[in-house]
Amino acid sequence: MACRLLTPRSAFPQHCTLLSSALALILLILIVFSDTPLSAQTSLPNAPSSTLISPQDQQSGDQPDPSSPSEPGGNAKPHTTGASSADPSAAQPENSEGKQSKRILWIIPNYRSVSADARLPPLSLKGKFWLATQDSFDYSSFVVAGMLAGIGQVKNSTPQFHQGAAGYGRYYWHSFADQALGNYLTEAIVPAATREDPRYYTRGHGGLFRRSGYAISRLVITRNDAGGSTFNFSEIVGNGAGSGISNLYYPAAERTWTKTQQKWLTQVALDGLFNILKEFWPDIDRVIFKGHY
């Protein structure tokens, strides 16, 4: 995930509960103040989110020039031919509904989210590792690690780290290592071995409960490199492996099976919450922030 909130010491810590409450509040605001239903989408199913038409195509109805270059990654946007100039939808610019931004609230990395109805080529091995690198070494990762280190020190979650500046440094590098380890396992190493696509493909259509259920289901179901559906080994096995490997650099008292399992379940639960946030982020941005993010 773009933001790895591994909290080592408890099954469902207090900040996880606060995050759930904040997300529920955001969704409530979205429902109350939205001018259109969440299921309203202007893009066609299984197609790019918008269609751009040149004035020449509108007037002459000629077929587009096959020699025109396509977008990077092989995702060329189709042209509509013979469109009537009276059609108000023909010349509309790209619609922001269902379109994912690279960040959420200018801070949280959102590199793994794919806009609704987008069709992308398989992610190469290099692409998977680059995705994990982006999430691990984004500037926000250093900020999040500092926040988690501060929370851990205040709670004295790992007494062996002690207090003071030296203790904070220990909390900090452990938090940062947890994030990076989780990112590389779930976004690069395991997906490369199982040929899974680590990206989150936004549904973008349907009501609140259907889309929320879809977001949660992505914890156990994901796409493979061939475009089909498969069990999400990256999420379940990757996070489990990360929790176990992290025991190598934690004090012996923190290496029990119970605490390892707690870390594993906490991370999976947090990933589910962030899936919901990613699913509805385009709607939140459009309704609350008027597309400014």
Side-chain angles (χ1 to χ4, degrees), residues 5 7 10-26 148 151 155 265-267 269-271 273-274:
L5 295 181
T7 306
S10 61
F12 294 98
Q14 182 178 5
H15 81 273
C16 184
T17 304
L18 294 176
L19 179 61
S20 305
S21 302
L23 183 56
L25 179 60
I26 290 175
L148 293 178
I151 294 173
K155 295 172 60 179
L265 295 177
T266 298
Q267 187 56 57
L270 287 171
D271 285 349
L273 290 175
F274 273 99

Side-chain angles (χ1 to χ4, degrees), residues 76-94:
K77 293 183 179 180
H79 294 271
T80 301
T81 60
S84 171
S85 59
D87 184 0
S89 64
Q92 285 183 345
E94 186 172 346

Side-chain angles (χ1 to χ4, degrees), residues 62-111:
D62 292 337
Q63 294 293 331
D65 183 1
S67 63
S68 60
S70 61
E71 291 186 351
N75 296 319
K77 293 183 179 180
H79 294 271
T80 301
T81 60
S84 171
S85 59
D87 184 0
S89 64
Q92 285 183 345
E94 186 172 346
N95 196 288
S96 61
E97 292 187 15
K99 182 177 176 60
Q100 293 284 349
S101 59
K102 292 300 182 183
R103 294 186 183 277
I104 296 176
L105 296 174
W106 289 334
I107 300 175
I108 304 174
N110 197 30
Y111 302 118

Side-chain angles (χ1 to χ4, degrees), residues 8-288:
R9 303 307 98 195
S10 61
F12 294 98
Q14 182 178 5
H15 81 273
C16 184
T17 304
L18 294 176
L19 179 61
S20 305
S21 302
L23 183 56
L25 179 60
I26 290 175
L27 294 180
L28 179 60
I29 294 174
L30 177 62
I31 297 172
V32 173
F33 291 98
S34 177
D35 295 330
T36 57
L38 287 175
S39 59
Q41 297 291 328
T42 58
S43 56
L44 297 174
N46 301 319
S49 58
S50 64
T51 302
L52 301 181
I53 306 170
S54 64
Q56 292 82 358
D57 291 338
Q58 288 181 336
Q59 294 175 3
S60 63
D62 292 337
Q63 294 293 331
D65 183 1
S67 63
S68 60
S70 61
E71 291 186 351
N75 296 319
K77 293 183 179 180
H79 294 271
T80 301
T81 60
S84 171
S85 59
D87 184 0
S89 64
Q92 285 183 345
E94 186 172 346
N95 196 288
S96 61
E97 292 187 15
K99 182 177 176 60
Q100 293 284 349
S101 59
K102 292 300 182 183
R103 294 186 183 277
I104 296 176
L105 296 174
W106 289 334
I107 300 175
I108 304 174
N110 197 30
Y111 302 118
R112 284 208 294 163
S113 296
V114 178
S115 299
D117 302 321
R119 291 180 291 181
L120 302 180
L123 196 61
S124 66
L125 177 63
K126 180 180 178 180
K128 292 174 183 178
F129 274 89
W130 176 240
L131 187 63
T133 301
Q134 284 182 301
D135 281 343
S136 298
F137 297 98
D138 184 84
Y139 71 83
S140 63
S141 299
F142 296 92
V143 176
V144 170
M147 295 172 59
L148 293 178
I151 294 173
Q153 189 172 40
V154 169
K155 295 172 60 179
N156 196 29
S157 59
T158 310
Q160 296 84 351
F161 290 168
H162 306 294
Q163 296 296 315
Y168 179 81
R170 296 186 188 98
Y171 278 105
Y172 186 91
W173 81 257
H174 279 80
S175 297
F176 189 87
D178 286 346
Q179 293 182 95
L181 177 62
N183 287 335
Y184 277 100
L185 282 168
T186 60
E187 299 175 26
I189 298 174
V190 176
T194 58
R195 298 184 178 181
E196 294 174 29
D197 191 332
R199 294 171 291 194
Y200 175 79
Y201 285 81
T202 309
R203 179 183 177 91
H205 306 284
L208 175 66
F209 293 105
R210 175 170 294 186
R211 292 173 65 185
S212 298
Y214 167 83
I216 295 298
S217 72
R218 296 308 93 182
L219 294 175
V220 292
I221 302 173
T222 190
R223 293 193 185 191
N224 56 30
D225 289 341
S229 297
T230 185
F231 180 77
N232 196 344
F233 291 98
S234 302
E235 174 68 30
I236 305 302
V237 177
N239 278 319
S243 299
I245 295 174
S246 68
N247 285 335
L248 296 176
Y249 52 82
Y250 272 95
E254 305 297 327
R255 301 175 188 173
T256 66
W257 164 248
T258 299
K259 292 186 176 181
T260 302
Q261 185 181 42
Q262 288 173 355
K263 288 191 293 184
W264 180 20
L265 295 177
T266 298
Q267 187 56 57
V268 172
L270 287 171
D271 285 349
L273 290 175
F274 273 99
N275 279 355
I276 295 175
L277 179 60
K278 292 174 181 178
E279 176 66 32
F280 290 101
W281 169 243
D283 303 278
I284 296 171
D285 184 28
R286 173 174 54 86
V287 174
I288 300 179

